[in-house]
Amino acid sequence: MGCFLTLVEPIVVFKSLADSFYDTALLMVVYNQCNRTADNSTYYEQQKEASKFFLFYDIISCLVPLLPAVTLGKCADKRGLKILTVIPLLGYLLGRSFLFFIEMFKLPQYVMFIGHAVTGLCGGYPAYWTGINAIAALRSTNNNRSVRMSSLELSSGIAKLLGSILSGHIFMIPNNHTGLPVTVLSLALYTLSVVYSAFIIKYPAVTADEQRGLLPSPIEEKKDMRAMVYLFVAANIFYLGMLGGENVISLFVLKPPLSWDAIWVGYGHAATNMMYVTSFLAVLIGSKYLSDTFLILTGIFSNCAGMVMMSFVKQSYLFFIGKFVRY
C-alpha cells in the first residue's frame, strides 16, 4: 500500500479520463449552440462560428499558462512539488466547471473563455505535466527513467482511449443530448485527481544533489545548446501543424459527408489517443534497432501521409484508415 501511494499514475488516469469526457462534451455543446445561433442554417455558417470559438480557445490555452507555469515552477523548487500538481488540477476543476453552468443556464459558449483563462492562470497543462514528470523522475533511476516517462504517456493514452469511447455513449443517454452526464462525470474525475494529489500521494523530497543530478553540467549544456534550439523549433513547427490539423478535423467530421454524432466523435477521439500507445511501443521496440533520428523522421512522415489521406475522406472507415497511417 505504501508503494502505491508514491505512484503518480492514478493522477494521470483520473485527469486523462476527465479530459476525454470534457473534450467530447465541449465539442458537441459548442457545435450544437453554433447550430442555433448561426445567421442561417447552412453548414458554412455553423463551421465558421465553431472555428472562431476554437481558434480563440486554443490561443488562450497556449498563451495564458506561460507566466503562471514558470511562477509555479519557482515556488515548487522552494516549497515542494505538491504545488505543481494540486494548483493546476484545481484550476482544471474550476475552469471546466463553466461548461456545466453553460449547459444548465443556457449561457453562450464564449463564457468558456473565462473558464479556460482560469485554468491557464493556475498553470494549466505545462505546470501539471512538469510536476508529474518531476515526481516520476525523482522516483526512478537513470537506467529506467526513459521507460518511466514513456509509461506515463502510455497510462494517459489508455485512459483517454477508454474515456473517449465511453464519452460518446454517455452523451447520447438523455433524450435531449445536453451533455450534462458527461460533464458531471468529468468534473467528478477532476475532483478525484485533486483529492488524490492533495491528500493521498506521498511526494518525494528534493535534495540539492538530486537537483544537480537531473540537470546537465555547464559544459554539456553549452555543447548541446544548438541541437536543443533546432529540436525546439522543429517540435513547435510540427506541433503547430498537428494542432491546427486536429482542430480542422474535429469540426469536419460533424458536417456532411460524415455527419458524426457524439458516439462517432468519441470513436474519433479514441483513434487519436491511440497515438500514445503506438508511440510508446515504437520507443520501446524501435529504439533497440533504429536511431532516434530515424524514429523521429518516421513519425513526421507517417503523420503527413495520414493527413493527406484524411483530406480526401468521404466515408468514416477511410477516416480511421488515415488515423492508422498517422499513428
Side-chain angles (χ1 to χ4, degrees):
M1 184 66 179
C3 181
F4 176 78
L5 297 181
T6 64
L7 298 176
V8 293
E9 277 76 3
I11 300 177
V12 174
V13 170
F14 290 146
K15 197 262 184 188
S16 298
L17 282 171
D19 284 345
S20 60
F21 289 137
Y22 171 82
D23 289 341
T24 298
L26 178 67
L27 178 62
M28 297 305 299
V29 168
V30 168
Y31 199 76
N32 289 338
Q33 284 207 9
C34 290
N35 289 350
R36 295 193 295 268
T37 59
D39 295 336
N40 54 59
S41 59
T42 63
Y43 291 111
Y44 173 77
E45 289 295 332
Q46 298 166 10
Q47 198 86 355
K48 183 179 178 180
E49 278 297 307
S51 299
K52 186 190 300 183
F53 172 85
F54 284 106
L55 171 64
F56 289 107
Y57 191 84
D58 288 334
I59 290 174
I60 294 172
S61 177
C62 293
L63 297 182
V64 175
L66 293 179
L67 184 58
V70 174
T71 304
L72 286 175
K74 292 181 178 180
C75 292
D77 289 338
K78 298 178 181 179
R79 301 181 179 273
L81 294 172
K82 191 173 187 177
I83 293 174
L84 277 178
T85 55
V86 176
I87 293 180
L89 288 172
L90 188 60
Y92 274 104
L93 176 61
L94 295 176
R96 297 193 166 181
S97 64
F98 277 67
L99 183 60
F100 174 80
F101 296 111
I102 286 174
E103 294 175 281
M104 282 292 294
F105 303 109
K106 308 301 180 185
L107 301 174
Q109 69 266 26
Y110 294 103
V111 174
M112 276 307 304
F113 292 158
I114 302 174
H116 207 43
V118 170
T119 301
L121 290 172
C122 292
Y125 185 81
Y128 156 76
W129 197 242
T130 299
I132 292 295
N133 279 279
I135 296 169
L138 292 171
R139 296 290 190 194
S140 60
T141 63
N142 291 331
N143 294 331
N144 67 353
R145 188 161 293 153
S146 297
V147 176
R148 185 78 178 84
M149 299 298 184
S150 298
S151 69
L152 293 177
E153 295 278 0
L154 180 64
S155 300
S156 177
I158 292 176
K160 287 184 177 181
L161 177 65
L162 296 176
S164 297
I165 294 172
L166 294 173
S167 62
H169 291 279
I170 298 173
F171 187 93
M172 299 295 287
I173 288 176
N175 293 329
N176 56 359
H177 302 163
T178 61
L180 271 176
V182 183
T183 304
V184 170
L185 187 55
S186 173
L187 294 177
L189 288 165
Y190 281 125
T191 302
L192 283 175
S193 68
V194 171
V195 171
Y196 187 91
S197 62
F199 304 110
I200 299 177
I201 187 173
K202 296 179 180 179
Y203 289 88
V206 184
T207 64
D209 292 337
E210 286 175 325
Q211 285 183 332
R212 286 193 294 269
L214 292 174
L215 297 174
S217 66
I219 297 176
E220 291 174 337
E221 186 176 0
K222 183 178 180 180
K223 180 179 179 181
D224 295 338
M225 185 57 67
R226 181 180 297 180
M228 289 175 62
V229 170
Y230 291 155
L231 287 172
F232 179 81
V233 173
N236 278 277
I237 292 174
F238 176 76
Y239 180 74
L240 180 64
M242 190 172 71
L243 179 64
E246 287 295 338
N247 288 338
V248 171
I249 291 169
S250 296
L251 297 174
F252 166 76
V253 299
L254 296 175
K255 66 182 186 65
L258 299 185
S259 301
W260 281 5
D261 58 15
I263 293 177
W264 280 99
V265 168
Y267 291 156
H269 286 165
T272 300
N273 291 321
M274 274 296 296
M275 170 185 65
Y276 294 98
V277 180
T278 56
S279 63
F280 174 79
L281 295 176
V283 171
L284 190 63
I285 299 173
S287 59
K288 296 180 180 179
Y289 308 101
L290 304 172
S291 66
D292 291 343
T293 303
F294 187 84
L295 287 173
I296 293 170
L297 292 175
T298 300
I300 293 174
F301 287 133
S302 64
N303 188 76
C304 294
M307 291 292 283
V308 170
M309 290 182 61
M310 295 175 73
S311 64
F312 298 99
V313 164
K314 293 185 177 180
Q315 294 178 317
S316 295
Y317 77 90
L318 293 174
F319 174 91
F320 291 101
I321 292 175
K323 284 284 188 179
F324 176 78
V325 171
R326 287 183 67 187
Y327 303 138

